[in-house]
Every structure is written in C-alpha cells, then in structure tokens.
Amino acid sequence: MLTTLHRIVQEVNGASDLSEALEIIVKSVREAVATDVCSVYLTDFEQRKHLLMATDGLRPEAVGKVALPMFRGLVGLVCERAEPINLDDAPSHSRYLPVSGTGEKYYHGFLGVPIIQNRKVLGVLVVRHIEPRRFEDDEVTFLLTLAAQLAGAITHAQASGELTRIRSGTDAVSEGFLQGRPSSSGVVIGSAVVAYQLSDLDAVPDRRSDDPAAEVLRFRKAIAAVQDDLHALREKMEHVLQEEDRALFDAWLMMLSEDALVERAVSLINEESQWAPGALRQSVLEHISVFDSMEDPYLRERASDIRDLGRRVLMHLQEEQTNGVDYPERTILVGEEVSAVQLMEVPEDRLAGVVSSTGSGSSHVAILARAIGVPAVMGLTDLPVSRVEGQDVIVDGYRGRFYVAPADSVCQEYERLITEEQQLGRELDELRGHTSETTDSFHLPLYLNTGLASEMSDLGITEAEGIGLYRTEFPFMTRDTFPGEETQIIAYRHVLETFNPRPAIMRTLDIGGDKPLPYFPFTESNPFLGWRGVRISLDHPEIFLTQVRAMLRASIGYENLRILLPMITTIGEIDELQQLISRAYDELQEEGYEIIMPEIGVMIEVPAAVYQAEEIAKRVDFISIGSNDLTQYLLAVDRNNPRVAELYDDLHPAVLQAVHHVVKAGTDYGCPVGICGELAGNPLATPLLLGMGVDSLSMSAGSLLRVKWVIRSLSRARCKQLLKKALQHHEAQQVHQMMNKVLGELGLEGLVRPGR
Ligand code: PEP
Ligand code: MG
C-alpha cells in the first residue's frame, strides 16, 4: 500500500491543475481499493455546497454540476464530523440522500474520508461499492493517509489552476487571491519578479525569450559544459572507484545525451519561446515525475540523478546570465524563500513589495520589508512561484492577500485604499519633530532599528533619538568573504558619524538561525536551537575580536558607541565576552589608539535569560529585549514556519509577563531596559510597554511616527491601568481585542497592523 500511496502522491504533485490532480486520484484509488466508484467532492464554503469534482464510476457529465447542500447526505456528514464514515449498507443510514444526475445505482458499501487542511474540511474522498461491503481497516487508513497528503496538493493545484487559466488567456483577470500572513503593512499594485535561488531548479520561473535560436545555443553549451565536468570528474576518480561505480558516470552522461531530456527542452524553447532555464526545469521535472512514479525503488532513485544533472546544467546557464534581472518600476519580489540578499539586490527605488511562500511576519525578510517601508505577505504556501513572473499583482500587507492579474474592480478598490494610506501618511508626517511624550509628560525615547544603508532613511535619521539596534550581520551577508577590520570600520563609522552625538547601539554578529552567511555554510537540523549568535562568537573569537576592534576604532572621536551581545543564554557567556571586549580595548590602547570603553549591554531573547534577568542586570550597562526570538522560544514556534504562524504572537500573555519581569529586574538594579524586537514597533503594544516602564523602544523607521502618535495620545497613569487589565487575560486574542478597542476609542484604529 505504501508504494502505491507514494506513487499516487507523486503523480498528483506533478499534475498541472486541480482537475488533472483529481482525475489521477479517483482513478488510482478506485483501482487500489478494487471498488465500483471513487469520487471527490470539494466544499464550496461560499455557496454552501459539496460539489462533485471528479469521479471514476459515476457519470462523467455530472462532474462540476452535481452538488449536495452543505452538511446534507453522507458526504455532508463526513464533512460535518471531520472523520471517516464506513458503512456496509449506506441506504439504511438516516442521513442517506439519493442523488439524481450522477447515474447512481443502488450502492451499499460506502466509505467517506475528509480531506483536511489547516483544520478546514476541503472536501471528501468517497469510495462506493454495489454489494454490501464494510471497508477493511487498512483501506480506511489508506484513504485517510492519502487524503491528508492530498490536501496540500489540492490547495496547490487550485492555486496553480487559477494561474494557468490566467496565463492561457481564457480568464484574463481574477478576483481571487492567495492567502498568506500579513507581514508588513501597506498595499501596492506592481509587477512580479521571481527571485529564485541559484541552482534551485523548482524555483526557476517561466520567462519568454525573444531569441529562441540563441537560447538553444546557450542551452546546448551548458549541456556540453556539464558533460565536460563529468568526464573530468571521472578521470579524477579513476583510481578511487571500482569499475561498476565508474559506470555511474556513463549512466549520467547517457542521460545527458539522451534525446528525451535535451530535445524536450529544446522543443519548449523553440515552440513555446521559453527561456533556457525554464525549459530545462520543465523537461527535468517531467522526467523526474516519470521515474518517481515507478514502483521499483532502484528506478525511483534515478529521479534524484536527473534532478542533480538538471541543477548542474542550471548552474552553467546561470554563470552565463550576463546582464542580470530587469527590475520594473514597481517590483514585487516573489519567491519560494526570498532571502535578505535577494531583497537587497533590487534597486532601492524599484522595490515595491515582497511575497514569499515561506516565512512569517517575524522573518528577517519581513523585518527588512517593514524597515524599508514596503508591504509584504509571507507564508503563501500554495504560491505557484514559477508562474507569476511578469504578472500584474497586488500585495495587501494588511490582510495577507496576494492577487495575480487582478480584475479592474479589485484594482479600483485597492487604488482607493492606497489613497487612504497616503492620507494617513500625511497625518503622521505632522508629528515629525514633536517629542514622544505622554499627555502627563513622560518622555519615552524612540530609537531606530537598522542594518542597511537604505534603512537609514531621512525619516529614521531625523526622527529617531538614536540607533537602538544596528544589525551588523547585513553588511556581512552581502559579501563573499568575512569583511576585514578596515572594511568594517568604514561601515560602522558611517553609522556613528550620522547619529553622533545620539547613541548608536551596535550588535555583534548574530548569524545562524535564519541568517546564514553564504561563505560560512553549515547545516543543522534545528538551526534556531543551534549554533547562532554569541555561540559562534565564542567559538570563533577571531571573528568577534575583529568586529569589536573595528567598532572601537570606528568610534574614535565619537562617544556614542554602545555594544550589544545577542542570544545570551548563560551568565558565563557575558563574562567571557566582556573579557574579550576588554582584551580588544587593551590591545588597541597598546597600539596607541585613544578609545573610550563603550557601554556594554545584552539582549534578552532566550527564556533562560528572563529568569536570570536580575543577575544580568547587575553585570551590564543596559538590557535590550529581543521580543522576536523571545516569542519564538517562549511559545516554541519557529518564527519562519507558516504552518504555525497562527501561534506566533508577541502579545501572548506569557510574552508580556516575561517582558514585564525583565523590566522590573532592570528597574530594581538600575539597569535601563529597552525593547528592540518587533513588539516595540507595534502600536497595540505601546500603551502596555509604557505601563511596564520600559526605558526605550527601538523599531523600523516605518513605525516611529505610528508609535509616537500612541504615546502622545495617552497618559502613563492610564497605561499602567491598561497593563494591569491586559495581564489578567489568558489568550493573545483577548489582548488584541482589548488593545484594538483602546486605540479605536482614541481614534487611532488606522495605525494598527492587522493580523498579528
Ligand atoms: C529579536 O530577536 O527580537 C531581535 C531584535 O533580533 P533579530 O530579529 O535580529 O533576531
Ligand atoms: Mg534575535
């Protein structure tokens, strides 16, 4: 059964649209279970019905026409209960509903299993038998397992199908949208540009070529280059490999010279004007699906050889790509997993929005999008990335919606929203230059989170009272080797100079987790619990010392540098890192540099550090709470995983309690506590943080005026009352509701970033 299951899922994943996927399912299941009928009903929640979408056994004309009213009949019962129903005599069941139009006979055996995705019953997979038959346990589990695996494929095919229709011109516009996580507020209408990883075959987009002959030439050159590589490799390995192992190379070379793989790609270039990488992707994936669906495990393995060869060819094609991507005026960057570097590659004045299949509002790409001030939607799991290149799209960063080739009516609605946004922007602009003071004159300094030159916008520079978090890893991520001391000095000095005499808190390198360096690769099965932040710094003091020396030297002549240590888990780490900083300081003094020892602070972003906040407060000059990681670790929710994004909420009462605890510890020991995670820039949280008595908030430039507006609208006394009330709640949702109401009463509902 497992092999059959694997084969069906592979075939379904390779289907180009929903109806093809469903056809495959009903045919294969009917055969595998040896029964008379297999059908799939999908739930139409708007029309409140279960629509017959595919059948093998009933009349084919009924497909797309016959529907059962929502929750009626046995199909409705499966949907309602969200569990399988297995009956040997269906007609005698009280919920049995005979259906006309399907050519239905008197079927006795009935087994229906729900197809569930994200707790929602998308449809029902049904098998029926003329004779009375109670399906065996392993048949029930077979259908259940299949249905669970199919749910994703069905949603994916639904999304792809929509876009296929758009591309084929049969349905030029669409009112539908794909739903993801709202990750950076704002709305924008623009053109999609697909960002794909080099040599990531699946992510290569479709792109039209104007010169097929040149594309074919390019393609054949890349194939020849891979053949050369393989010959060279075989020669190199000659003395190490056995004869039969060497035969592997012959097999690979044969696959590459095989007409099927190469000629299919060439015909896609010639006949469909595909560019070479797109044609390669399609041809390779078609071949993979043939091998993948084979029952013989040895032959199935060949699929991975083809994929590997495909990647090698792609790498050669990419080396050849000379003049890079053409970014339209309002570029919406779309990808499976958009990286910070890809985002930075788009010219600053062209980037208008970001959309990614993976990630959530707390991923670094989303943080960057907020910093730059462009809308973003993350976690669009069903996004058929390869099909959106060049399409007109809308990104709704408030509701997490992504529209491809939207209808005129949708565009008009969004144009209206964009005008409203601009109005809010003008109102916020009026707050520029005003102090961030409560109505009872409590001053709460607002700092800037930055890391990119482009984030140091005019707004951030003029409005912020300093830099609360300079993420130094971004300058490290855009290079191909570790930057040396002199190179780092230039970057840091620019920041210190721009803000002098206002303080600038520079965080030491916080790589690992979701911030990899291309030239320092390592793989971990659980990177967020692995080697990251100061753990790497302690294991590689040479990297840490170079950075600290660069920071100290950059600060000569200024007195505004402060150093921040990320991901602290133990007191010992603080002691060791402080010693290293002192060492760098002493060495520089010996070398004749006149430096001032900066204040040193630590980030509290690991639960262990929350419970040792008092000890930490005694040791350091300041504390900065990294609420992004703290939320992830407290709630055990990977901040980049869209499947659990619903659970990630920095207004969760447990997070608020933890932040409150740290602020109290800081107050007790005279150690200032700031917040530099996304919580600091969320207007819903501002009154609560004020009530706790935090000493500063550090956020993206785009949030500065919004948060200032809230601060200027409330008294601190009121904030303390609100905090007391909020801490009595048990659910994040209750805190959201309460704070939404508070901002609504103040007339500030327009400020709220929905969805989180
Ligand atoms: C945080 O974790 O809250 C934080 C500010 O650090 P980063 O988002 O860079 O991990
Ligand atoms: Mg962090």
Side-chain angles (χ1 to χ4, degrees):
M1 275 293 189
L2 195 63
T3 328
T4 317
L5 195 88
H6 177 81
R7 180 180 48 78
I8 300 176
V9 172
Q10 288 297 340
E11 280 179 28
V12 169
N13 280 336
S16 61
D17 59 21
L18 182 61
S19 57
E20 190 185 327
L22 296 181
E23 279 302 311
I24 297 170
I25 295 168
V26 289
K27 282 209 162 39
S28 327
V29 171
R30 182 182 171 189
E31 207 178 284
V33 184
T35 189
D36 299 311
V37 175
C38 177
S39 313
V40 173
Y41 292 81
L42 289 191
T43 319
D44 183 336
F45 291 94
E46 268 168 36
Q47 308 268 333
R48 300 193 55 77
K49 60 186 185 192
H50 308 286
L51 187 62
L52 178 71
M53 293 297 287
T55 182
D56 189 26
L58 299 180
R59 276 178 38 208
E61 308 86 79
V63 170
K65 296 196 185 77
V66 168
L68 295 159
M70 188 94 153
F71 300 142
R72 297 277 308 281
L74 291 173
V75 168
L77 188 63
V78 176
C79 191
E80 186 187 316
R81 289 196 188 160
E83 60 181 17
I85 292 183
N86 186 4
L87 304 169
D88 56 357
D89 184 32
S92 63
H93 193 281
S94 60
R95 289 284 286 267
Y96 179 75
L97 191 73
V99 184
S100 56
T102 54
E104 201 169 303
K105 296 191 194 112
Y106 212 62
Y107 293 100
H108 289 272
F110 174 98
L111 169 62
V113 300
I115 304 169
I116 303 179
Q117 169 98 328
N118 294 337
R119 305 182 187 191
K120 210 167 163 185
V121 185
L122 299 180
V124 181
L125 176 61
V126 183
V127 285
R128 307 177 76 180
H129 208 79
I130 295 178
E131 297 299 317
R133 167 175 175 184
R134 195 176 164 80
F135 290 88
E136 300 291 328
D137 258 10
D138 63 344
E139 289 166 335
V140 178
T141 47
F142 169 70
L143 254 68
L144 264 179
T145 318
L146 190 62
Q149 299 207 31
L150 291 178
I154 287 177
T155 358
H156 187 83
Q158 246 164 352
S160 301
E162 169 129 323
L163 296 178
T164 309
R165 277 202 308 284
I166 293 162
R167 283 180 62 82
S168 63
T170 48
D171 178 4
V173 288
S174 151
E175 300 206 355
F177 56 83
L178 299 172
Q179 184 66 51
R181 299 290 302 168
S183 303
S184 172
S185 53
V187 285
V188 67
I189 305 178
S191 310
V193 172
V194 173
Y196 60 98
Q197 305 290 341
L198 284 186
S199 73
D200 179 356
L201 210 54
D202 298 284
V204 172
D206 287 336
R207 216 171 256 175
R208 269 187 69 81
S209 132
D210 297 329
D211 188 354
E215 278 308 280
V216 170
L217 205 67
R218 193 159 93 86
F219 178 68
R220 292 207 187 274
K221 253 174 76 184
I223 296 277
V226 176
Q227 285 167 333
D228 288 350
D229 291 350
L230 289 174
H231 280 297
L233 208 62
R234 183 167 62 174
E235 234 164 76
K236 206 172 117 199
M237 309 292 282
E238 198 112 53
H239 61 288
V240 194
L241 293 180
Q242 304 285 344
E243 183 57 39
E244 64 262 35
D245 294 332
R246 284 204 297 268
L248 255 185
F249 284 94
D250 297 328
W252 290 333
L253 283 164
M254 214 172 74
M255 284 180 200
L256 271 186
S257 55
E258 235 176 45
D259 281 357
L261 193 75
V262 176
E263 292 317 316
R264 170 72 180 134
V266 169
S267 83
L268 286 164
I269 298 174
N270 283 330
E271 284 157 32
E272 296 183 22
S273 302
Q274 260 282 18
W275 69 325
L280 172 74
R281 183 209 71 224
Q282 198 169 326
S283 171
V284 167
L285 293 187
E286 281 170 11
H287 279 79
I288 286 177
S289 82
V290 172
F291 279 100
D292 256 346
S293 60
M294 292 183 176
E295 311 251 338
D296 178 340
Y298 174 79
L299 287 176
R300 265 211 323 263
E301 259 313 293
R302 302 288 62 80
S304 66
D305 289 343
I306 295 182
R307 180 176 286 278
D308 183 62
L309 288 174
R311 281 209 196 105
R312 284 165 190 275
V313 179
L314 184 62
M315 260 157 62
H316 280 283
L317 282 172
Q318 284 166 338
E319 271 168 24
E320 285 243 310
Q321 262 163 258
T322 44
N323 43 7
V325 186
D326 226 357
Y327 293 103
E329 217 169 284
R330 269 177 300 167
T331 295
I332 310 293
L333 199 62
V334 182
E336 295 275 357
E337 189 175 358
V338 179
S339 73
V341 176
Q342 286 169 331
L343 190 140
M344 287 183 260
E345 274 166 1
V346 184
E348 210 184 308
D349 54 341
R350 306 222 148 196
L351 182 70
V354 183
V355 169
S356 177
S357 309
T358 55
S360 68
S362 48
S363 309
H364 280 98
V365 174
I367 293 175
L368 270 179
R370 285 200 284 279
I372 297 167
V374 296
V377 175
M378 313 288 290
L380 273 160
T381 24
D382 301 313
L383 178 68
V385 172
S386 60
R387 300 177 186 214
V388 296
E389 176 80 12
Q391 299 278 351
D392 290 336
V393 293
I394 296 178
V395 184
D396 178 344
Y398 289 115
R399 286 182 288 183
R401 292 181 177 183
F402 180 54
Y403 294 79
V404 182
D408 279 351
S409 55
V410 177
C411 281
Q412 279 158 13
E413 178 59 16
Y414 273 95
E415 271 153 15
R416 192 183 61 73
L417 272 173
I418 290 169
T419 315
E420 270 178 30
E421 280 269 299
Q422 287 162 347
Q423 171 63 23
L424 174 70
R426 279 192 290 276
E427 284 176 41
L428 285 169
D429 262 351
E430 284 173 22
L431 293 176
R432 277 185 177 230
H434 289 279
T435 51
S436 61
E437 236 175 52
T438 57
T439 53
D440 49 356
S441 306
F442 176 80
H443 172 224
L444 181 63
L446 301 186
Y447 294 143
L448 180 68
N449 283 359
T450 177
L452 283 179
S454 57
E455 284 180 80
M456 300 236 292
S457 59
D458 170 54
L459 173 71
I461 294 172
T462 53
E463 271 302 304
E465 295 189 39
I467 291 184
L469 173 65
Y470 176 73
R471 289 184 166 99
T472 54
E473 46 285 354
F474 290 132
F476 277 69
M477 281 158 92
T478 48
R479 312 177 57 85
D480 40 22
T481 55
F482 279 107
E485 191 171 312
E486 302 297 331
T487 314
Q488 291 188 51
I489 291 175
I490 297 170
Y492 304 153
R493 200 161 170 81
H494 172 64
V495 177
L496 295 172
E497 194 170 32
T498 309
F499 274 79
N500 191 45
R502 290 171 287 173
I505 300 178
M506 295 198 165
R507 179 173 75 181
T508 59
L509 199 58
D510 184 22
I511 51 170
D514 68 339
K515 287 174 286 193
L517 292 181
Y519 47 86
F520 189 56
F522 51 91
T523 321
E524 292 179 304
S525 56
N526 209 341
F528 277 116
L529 299 184
W531 205 41
R532 63 168 297 202
V534 293
R535 299 172 184 181
I536 298 182
S537 303
L538 286 167
D539 290 348
H540 278 281
E542 76 288 6
I543 300 173
F544 182 77
L545 283 169
T546 307
Q547 183 173 41
V548 172
R549 279 178 61 96
M551 285 179 180
L552 295 176
R553 282 182 58 197
S555 74
I556 293 174
Y558 307 126
E559 295 180 13
N560 58 342
L561 169 68
R562 294 179 191 175
I563 295 181
L564 181 62
L565 306 169
M567 274 295 291
I568 292 294
T569 318
T570 70
I571 301 293
E573 287 169 347
I574 304 176
D575 294 342
E576 271 189 76
L577 291 162
Q578 279 176 330
Q579 276 164 20
L580 283 174
I581 296 173
S582 300
R583 195 174 117 191
Y585 173 81
D586 292 344
E587 280 170 11
L588 287 171
Q589 293 275 25
E590 276 167 31
E591 289 168 34
Y593 292 106
E594 283 191 21
I595 350 160
I596 298 165
M597 186 66 168
E599 286 188 2
I600 299 171
V602 303
M603 289 188 76
I604 291 199
E605 41 188 352
V606 175
V610 172
Y611 293 104
Q612 291 196 299
E614 288 80 2
E615 269 316 303
I616 293 174
K618 283 186 219 165
R619 281 179 155 72
V620 298
D621 298 311
F622 65 96
I623 284 173
S624 187
I625 301 177
S627 56
N628 305 340
D629 278 313
L630 186 58
T631 305
Q632 131 163 299
Y633 294 126
L634 271 177
L635 305 184
V637 178
D638 176 347
R639 60 197 263 188
N640 289 317
N641 184 344
R643 285 219 179 105
V644 286
E646 291 281 340
L647 295 172
Y648 184 99
D649 197 322
D650 51 13
L651 285 178
H652 190 291
V655 179
L656 295 179
Q657 300 275 9
V659 172
H660 195 201
H661 176 86
V662 176
V663 175
K664 275 199 280 198
T667 314
D668 289 349
Y669 290 92
C671 176
V673 177
I675 300 186
C676 64
E678 292 303 299
L679 186 66
N682 183 353
L684 284 182
T686 312
L688 305 177
L689 301 175
L690 265 168
M692 289 180 197
V694 296
D695 295 284
S696 62
L697 296 176
S698 189
M699 62 200 75
S700 307
S703 300
L704 285 167
L705 295 174
R706 292 167 188 255
V707 170
K708 191 194 276 191
W709 202 350
V710 179
I711 295 173
R712 291 176 62 85
S713 310
L714 282 157
S715 71
R716 198 154 168 240
R718 171 96 202 278
C719 291
K720 286 184 180 159
Q721 289 165 356
L722 290 171
L723 174 68
K724 214 166 149 194
K725 210 169 139 201
L727 289 178
Q728 284 162 7
H729 290 310
H730 301 134
E731 298 283 348
Q733 208 41 44
Q734 295 167 318
V735 181
H736 277 271
Q737 275 163 7
M738 172 189 154
M739 295 315 297
N740 265 312
K741 195 157 163 255
V742 170
L743 293 202
E745 282 161 8
L746 293 169
L748 304 178
E749 59 274 34
L751 295 183
V752 177
R753 204 169 69 216
R756 291 188 50 214

